[in-house]
Amino acid sequence: MDARINRIRTKLSMLPDAEKAVLGPVLTEAQISEFEDTHGVRLPEEFRRFLTRIGHGGYGPTYGLLPMEKWTGQPGTARLAEPFPIVPDLDVPTGPDDRGDLTGSFPGTIEVVYRGCSDSTLLVVTGPGRGRLVEANGEGFFAPRFHADPDFLSWYERWLDFVLTGHHNLNWFADQMAGSEVQLVATLLGDELPARRRAAAYTFITHPEPSVDLPGRLLRALTTEPHPAVRETILRALAAQGEHGRDLLTRALTDPVPGVRALAAILMTTRTPQAWHLPPRLREVLGRHLANETDDSVRDAISRTLDLT
């Protein structure tokens, strides 16, 4: 645990001045205990370590870490002793929150990052996901989904690593995971949990300096992946690998799931300052496929792609 504290301190000191990486002062044990006694809980140990050894509020994802007085600002988060009921990683949430019982109310959690509008990153204090971070929307626009990190210190260190190594777009951070290219490929090809396989695929969308072999490895994962939502994410990762990756998207036009086929067609395009662009070879492939495609939604996606470019 102490090694992680020291690593985080070192990485914070390595950030460029433009990051404005300032944290508030650490909290005392008495301050934390008073909060815990008020709400009838004990904060996860890794979070407590962060607060007492590194800092409190300030630099972090999106608008930064919230201070203690704002932890219970999200409706329902004041009920910290009630369990947050979702078990981590059992499924892969892909759409609106259809549970109904959590819309606008997230018991057992504190809000650690406000992400804008009704989006928040929550820390589970009570429940089966205790210690994990959860992405949530107060209006139910998407179902709560767990970050891949096992605890707060791992999550925060990953944020620092992503900033320091130059990930291309930190807006994907909540859906990604830590790891080298080799480790991420191993997760994508071999992890038993689809949520973790999808997190690995998401990470390749912004992963800095990918190897020349990565598109082929992503294609291998695409052809063996059983979960449609993970296959869709692999398509996004392929599209992020440039021209060679987008050429490989044609392999997904035979996918049994219409949504996957439609997404493959849409991702073949790129946007320039002047217009959308579709290479002639991919235009030809889509034109041929359109003649044989039987699903109306896929036909519509292909037609719109061809018309757009």
Side-chain angles (χ1 to χ4, degrees):
M1 186 76 70
D2 286 342
R4 282 196 292 176
I5 295 291
N6 291 332
R7 286 201 309 267
I8 288 173
R9 286 173 173 165
T10 299
K11 290 172 183 179
L12 280 167
S13 70
M14 295 168 59
L15 291 166
D17 292 342
E19 285 294 314
K20 300 179 179 179
V22 177
L23 289 167
V26 297
L27 296 179
T28 65
E29 183 67 31
Q31 288 173 306
I32 295 174
S33 295
E34 181 181 1
F35 178 89
E36 292 174 332
D37 292 344
T38 298
H39 294 280
V41 297
R42 182 174 174 85
L43 296 176
E45 292 304 317
E46 294 81 4
F47 187 51
R48 287 177 119 262
R49 292 276 186 131
F50 185 91
L51 297 172
T52 59
R53 303 285 299 281
I54 297 177
H56 162 238
Y59 181 72
T62 318
Y63 299 115
L65 303 178
L66 293 174
M68 178 188 284
E69 60 267 22
K70 294 187 177 180
W71 288 350
T72 56
Q74 183 71 253
T77 51
R79 309 195 322 266
L80 298 191
E82 296 181 26
F84 182 73
I86 301 178
V87 178
D89 306 328
L90 285 185
D91 60 3
V92 182
T94 58
D97 183 9
D98 56 6
R99 290 175 56 100
D101 59 331
L102 290 179
T103 301
S105 177
F106 304 103
T109 68
I110 60 175
E111 185 179 22
V112 292
V113 175
Y114 169 66
R115 288 177 43 81
C117 297
S118 52
D119 294 351
S120 299
T121 301
L122 311 175
L123 175 67
V124 180
V125 174
T126 308
R130 174 175 163 81
R132 294 280 296 272
L133 284 299
V134 176
E135 206 68 7
N137 178 271
E139 299 179 75
F141 292 147
F142 58 81
R145 60 186 189 274
F146 280 88
H147 293 225
D149 316 277
D151 56 59
F152 186 88
L153 288 176
S154 298
W155 174 83
Y156 193 78
E157 185 173 13
R158 177 168 69 89
W159 167 255
L160 297 178
D161 288 339
F162 276 30
V163 174
L164 288 168
T165 57
H167 271 255
H168 306 308
N169 185 345
L170 293 172
N171 289 331
W172 295 98
F173 175 76
D175 295 300
Q176 298 174 315
M177 68 190 310
S180 66
E181 179 175 320
V182 171
Q183 292 169 327
L184 292 168
V185 167
T187 298
L188 184 57
L189 290 173
D191 200 286
E192 64 180 14
L193 296 174
R196 288 184 55 79
R197 298 197 303 272
R198 186 171 72 159
Y202 263 121
T203 309
F204 284 126
I205 296 175
T206 65
H207 204 271
E209 300 182 3
S211 73
V212 295
D213 297 325
L214 181 58
R217 290 168 177 157
L218 290 173
L219 178 62
R220 177 186 170 195
L222 179 68
T223 58
T224 59
E225 174 56 53
H227 200 294
V230 182
R231 295 202 300 276
E232 289 184 358
T233 309
I234 294 172
L235 293 182
R236 296 184 185 279
L238 275 171
Q241 307 311 310
E243 183 176 333
H244 180 41
R246 288 190 294 276
D247 283 345
L248 296 177
L249 294 173
T250 58
R251 305 291 186 90
L253 292 176
T254 58
D255 194 280
V257 177
V260 176
R261 300 199 300 274
L263 181 62
I266 294 168
L267 292 174
M268 291 180 194
T269 63
T270 56
R271 188 171 188 176
T272 67
Q274 292 76 32
W276 289 91
H277 175 67
L278 180 67
R281 62 188 179 282
L282 295 181
R283 175 177 289 275
E284 181 181 351
V285 169
L286 288 180
R288 289 200 305 267
H289 186 80
L290 182 61
N292 299 307
E293 176 60 59
T294 58
D295 185 271
D296 288 342
S297 64
V298 182
R299 290 180 58 82
D300 180 62
I302 294 174
S303 296
R304 287 187 287 110
T305 298
L306 294 173
D307 292 341
L308 187 65
T309 58

